[in-house]
Amino acid sequence: MKRCDILVRDARLRGCAGLNDIAICDGLITAIAPSLALTAERIIEADGRLVTESFANPHLHLCKVWTLTMMEDEARQNYHGATMEKAMAAIEVASRVKERYAESWIVENARRAVALAALYGNLHIRAFADVDGKARLEGLNALLKVRDEFRGIVDVQVVAFPQDGILREPGTRELMREAMIRGADVVGGIPWIEYTDKAAAEHISFCFDLAQEFDKDVSMLLDDAGDPGLRTLETFAIEAAARSWTGRTLAHHCRAMSQYPKPYLHRLIGTLLAADISIVSDPHTGPLHACVQELLAEKVNVCLGQDDISDAYYPYGRNNMLEVVFLASHLLWMMARDEIEQLYDLVTVNAGKAINVPLKLAVGSPAHMVVLSERDVLEAVRFHSEPACVISHGRLVDLRQMRELAGLRSV
Ligand SMILES: Nc1ccnc(=O)[nH]1
């Protein structure tokens, strides 16, 4: 009888009647069919439980995780709000912590957050490291280290992120370039916080120059406040199309979109589709959101992110993407059965596409998957509990070790 590395028996798959076996060999899914006649190094009895591709988090400020406790009490009230003032206040409070930035403690915090991600089957993270005069390259160096530690378990894409702006902050251009030389995976940006539209356009143009020079994807936080006058998403989309950076750009937040006049929104959606831009919305750090339903209806690739874990912007979070779906389901009032299924796609297939990681439970795909404890998507979202098994790159993740690294007691 033929042999494979891992055989998952009697898995329930989304959209499939009956149960299937899944064979994994050399990191790939090699067969999916009922009752496969194979032996394996490891056999996992799914026993009718739901098995899907693993989760991805396309937006996490990983250098800031667990910095909330480093802030004074009064500053902790400044969570992200709908207004420009509140958004800027959170950035300002977070920025004070950065004077104390040191690679050593950021590594420890980030390790804990990435281990939590592994526990929840969240195996691909686009992780932002602040790159500016205060943070210097401490956060970036820390995240590069953690990326290497978790290689093969959780894939971390490190984004060089000019949190305080580029034109506003002299010296940031040089730091961004140095970050790319040191091995950052993605060029980040935040043009909406520059002082003028002209400066925002220059910010975007600088980031694309860097991305083209280093052949990297671009991820930008855009229009992150409830002001319909913020329109850097459009400038970003036009630039992406002009440079043929098709499918290589991800737009984060875009909250202002919820207040755009409808005719402008529809024109904008056309521009997004032309450049194949993905949009990630983070339900936790609301209250305003990109127009998720409208974008989905027009076939824009939308996904959901975790954004923050216990920092100036958001006090909770644990890298559990089913928890993100649970919250999004309430905030977006997407609770019909087909809508819950759609939300599940936003943290699996769509999230993977947004960060250029193919996540699909199909023959020939890399074997990144979760064996959940529940039997269907509705129950999985209801409980948003830890998967029973997590497989990354065709290998079983040691969940006991991940619990330890995450600082949780073993059960
Ligand atoms: N939610 C956010 C976290 C970090 N930086 C931001 O600008 N926003």
Side-chain angles (χ1 to χ4, degrees):
M1 213 183 322
K2 276 211 324 205
R3 209 176 161 81
C4 61
D5 298 337
I6 300 180
L7 183 61
V8 183
R9 281 225 186 270
D10 294 330
R12 197 174 301 279
L13 307 180
R14 292 178 67 199
C16 273
L19 303 180
N20 280 276
D21 293 353
I22 305 167
I24 297 167
C25 210
D26 295 329
L28 298 177
I29 299 171
T30 50
I32 303 178
S35 311
L36 287 170
L38 290 171
T39 59
E41 207 86 353
R42 278 299 287 261
I43 296 185
I44 296 167
E45 299 291 349
D47 209 12
R49 287 171 298 180
L50 182 66
V51 178
T52 77
E53 51 281 304
S54 57
F55 305 105
N57 180 10
H59 183 170
L60 177 65
H61 292 275
L62 186 57
C63 72
K64 296 184 172 87
V65 295
W66 281 290
T67 52
L68 179 64
T69 49
M70 297 170 74
M71 289 161 201
E72 318 90 70
D73 273 349
E74 123 294 324
R76 291 191 205 177
Q77 309 307 319
N78 272 319
Y79 302 138
H80 230 170
T83 63
M84 192 85 173
E85 300 80 71
K86 274 197 135 189
M88 296 310 255
I91 291 174
E92 169 56 31
V93 169
S95 156
R96 273 185 252 147
V97 172
K98 287 196 288 193
E99 282 156 15
R100 286 186 271 158
Y101 255 32
E103 185 183 320
S104 55
W105 63 256
I106 299 171
V107 164
E108 283 177 27
N109 287 355
R111 184 182 290 135
R112 217 177 124 199
V114 177
L116 271 175
L119 265 187
Y120 290 111
N122 172 10
L123 303 181
H124 294 86
I125 300 176
R126 185 163 278 192
F128 286 65
D130 284 14
V131 169
D132 53 57
K134 286 191 190 124
R136 295 149 282 128
L137 292 169
E138 295 294 317
L140 184 102
N141 290 337
L143 300 199
L144 291 176
K145 217 173 217 173
V146 171
R147 175 187 73 183
D148 293 344
E149 263 181 43
F150 280 86
R151 205 181 284 285
I153 302 171
V154 177
D155 291 340
V156 176
Q157 299 178 353
V158 178
V159 185
F161 179 55
Q163 171 78 71
D164 295 340
I166 293 174
L167 284 92
R168 271 173 48 164
E169 287 275 312
T172 304
R173 282 188 169 87
E174 293 70 24
L175 283 168
M176 284 290 287
R177 160 167 283 284
E178 177 59 25
M180 299 317 295
I181 292 169
R182 288 191 189 194
D185 303 289
V186 177
V187 178
I190 179 166
W192 71 277
I193 68 157
E194 299 289 359
Y195 294 126
T196 64
D197 291 348
K198 183 163 173 288
E202 275 183 49
H203 179 126
I204 290 171
S205 168
F206 170 80
C207 294
F208 273 98
D209 284 347
L210 210 53
Q212 285 187 308
E213 184 184 341
F214 288 86
D215 193 19
K216 300 293 183 194
D217 292 359
V218 184
S219 245
M220 291 201 192
L221 274 60
L222 302 167
D223 311 325
D224 192 8
D227 171 0
L230 292 171
R231 294 185 170 192
T232 60
L233 173 58
E234 186 179 24
T235 316
F236 177 70
I238 290 169
E239 192 82 24
R243 304 210 189 207
S244 304
W245 227 234
T246 314
R248 302 198 64 179
T249 51
L250 176 56
H252 303 242
H253 294 313
C254 311
R255 287 179 220 282
M257 186 190 285
S258 63
Q259 301 189 346
Y260 289 160
K262 287 281 176 254
Y264 174 70
L265 178 63
H266 282 277
R267 192 185 76 185
L268 176 62
I269 287 174
T271 316
L272 297 176
L273 287 169
D276 194 13
I277 290 181
S278 295
I279 307 260
V280 51
S281 184
D282 307 302
H284 293 71
T285 43
L288 297 169
H289 306 281
C291 305
V292 170
Q293 286 100 325
E294 286 91 333
L295 292 168
L296 284 171
E298 299 289 340
K299 307 260 180 301
V300 175
N301 186 56
V302 185
C303 57
L304 300 173
Q306 167 77 73
D307 198 357
D308 297 279
I309 295 178
S310 210
D311 63 15
Y313 303 83
Y314 180 68
Y316 313 118
R318 48 182 181 160
N319 250 335
N320 175 352
M321 299 312 289
L322 281 177
E323 187 174 87
V324 173
V325 165
F326 183 71
L327 193 70
S329 169
H330 292 79
L331 291 171
L332 301 168
W333 197 243
M334 289 175 71
M335 293 189 177
R337 203 56 187 251
D338 59 334
E339 291 173 325
I340 298 170
E341 292 283 342
Q342 196 167 33
L343 287 172
Y344 198 92
D345 287 340
L346 304 201
V347 294
T348 51
V349 194
N350 290 24
K353 173 173 163 35
I355 59 173
N356 280 319
V357 174
L359 282 180
K360 198 166 169 43
L361 196 72
V363 174
S365 291
H368 307 305
M369 68 184 81
V370 287
V371 180
L372 296 177
S373 303
E374 296 79 20
R375 287 170 185 267
D376 64 27
V377 164
L378 171 61
E379 293 302 307
V381 176
R382 179 197 314 281
F383 290 106
H384 42 276
S385 53
E386 291 171 34
C389 287
V390 176
I391 295 170
S392 178
H393 293 274
R395 297 223 186 118
L396 260 185
V397 174
D398 182 347
L399 298 179
R400 220 186 156 80
Q401 182 198 12
M402 292 302 133
R403 287 187 76 80
E404 257 165 48
L405 288 174
L408 300 172
R409 258 190 300 145
S410 269
V411 281

